Amino acid sequence: MVAVDGPSGSGKSSASKGVARELGLRYLDTGAMYRALTWWFMTERVDTTDTALIAARAAEPSIEVSTDPDDPWTRVNGSDVTREIRTQEVSAQVSVVARVPEVRAHLIAGQRAIIAAADPGVVAEGRDIGTVVAPAAQLKVFLTADPGARARRRAAELSTDAGETEAAQARRDRLDAAQSEKAADAVLLDATDLTLGEVIDKITGLARERGEGLFLPAGAELVGLPGQGQEDKGPWAWAGDKSS
């Protein structure tokens, strides 16, 4: 398993998909799961600052995510929301929702279930994969870049103003700080002056150095959250490639 963590705009989604393709692994975007839940709360007109209500309803929607790096869709209650969860409106709310402990516990359980089902292995990306979700990952990479570079990349992706994007990014960095620590055994990779291809090559090279130990054995158990059994996985679904 490869765990790729890092702040918003560091390029971890594009890099992780590229690494998964190169190594023939599955791909998991854990951020999409937080976005999907946030989107659902917004469509239900739930006040995302109401922590008690968010905690109480976190397990209501059924969320599915594809682990095909060439077709990484997201569905909520059977509806494809892949594009809807990427709006600026969702981006502005997702960090608030993600900080709620009950949300994190629920989503992390789902992420672990997906990782355990991934064959022959998975590249999982987010903010706390190497520290919380899968601390036993054979390779951990913390991908970062300077704030200006991150903002320019995200602005180009969303066709927005770079200055406004950097301000929003700084807010997200503050809100996500508690969930964004670098694992002690993670490889720090600064992508400020690297192309996407170079980032993919570097992570792929590190993965190949780890050899057979990279892949999670079938049936392997992942470390559980304190006080939470692995049987509490909620309405999660793992989806392979689109032909399956």
Side-chain angles (χ1 to χ4, degrees):
M1 177 188 173
V2 179
V4 181
D5 290 311
S8 173
S10 60
K12 57 186 183 293
S13 293
S14 296
S16 295
K17 282 184 281 190
V19 172
R21 292 187 193 102
E22 287 291 319
L23 297 176
L25 301 179
R26 311 311 296 175
Y27 162 72
L28 174 61
D29 176 1
T30 62
M33 300 167 79
Y34 286 101
R35 285 176 170 274
L37 185 57
T38 301
W39 174 87
W40 180 80
F41 280 129
M42 293 171 68
T43 60
E44 290 288 303
R45 301 188 182 280
V46 174
D47 181 358
T48 56
T49 65
D50 187 336
T51 302
L53 187 56
I54 292 294
R57 301 190 65 183
E60 284 189 30
S62 173
I63 296 176
E64 298 174 272
V65 289
S66 165
T67 58
D68 179 355
D70 292 317
D71 187 25
W73 48 257
T74 304
R75 295 173 183 162
V76 176
N77 293 331
S79 297
D80 191 312
V81 296
T82 306
R83 295 183 63 182
E84 288 83 348
I85 66 173
R86 300 296 172 180
T87 65
Q88 293 185 61
E89 290 77 13
V90 172
S91 295
Q93 298 296 321
V94 65
S95 294
V96 176
V97 172
R99 297 175 70 188
V100 178
E102 290 82 359
V103 166
R104 285 177 52 73
H106 178 60
L107 294 185
I108 288 169
Q111 291 156 17
R112 288 173 173 164
I114 293 168
I115 290 169
D119 181 28
V122 63
V123 180
E125 56 106 340
R127 280 178 171 67
D128 57 0
I129 309 301
T131 54
V132 177
V133 179
Q138 290 85 352
L139 172 61
K140 302 175 188 177
V141 175
F142 192 87
L143 184 63
T144 189
D146 71 48
R150 290 164 50 207
R152 288 191 296 274
R153 290 169 185 168
R154 181 53 58 88
E157 177 186 345
L158 301 176
S159 298
T160 56
D161 178 74
E164 293 178 2
T165 300
E166 187 165 0
Q169 176 181 277
R171 175 179 178 273
R172 283 200 66 187
D173 286 349
R174 290 193 297 272
L175 292 173
D176 293 335
Q179 292 83 242
S180 302
E181 293 184 4
K182 172 183 170 293
D185 55 346
V187 176
L188 178 63
L189 180 56
D190 188 332
T192 301
D193 299 316
L194 299 177
T195 65
L196 174 59
E198 289 171 334
V199 172
I200 292 171
D201 286 346
K202 286 182 179 293
I203 299 175
T204 301
L206 289 168
R208 286 177 171 148
E209 288 175 6
R210 306 295 169 99
E212 293 299 322
L214 173 69
F215 305 105
L216 185 71
E221 293 187 1
L222 297 169
V223 178
L225 287 172
Q228 180 178 354
Q230 288 298 299
E231 69 280 356
D232 180 21
K233 293 177 181 175
W236 295 105
W238 166 72
D241 61 43
K242 54 190 173 184
S243 62
S244 62

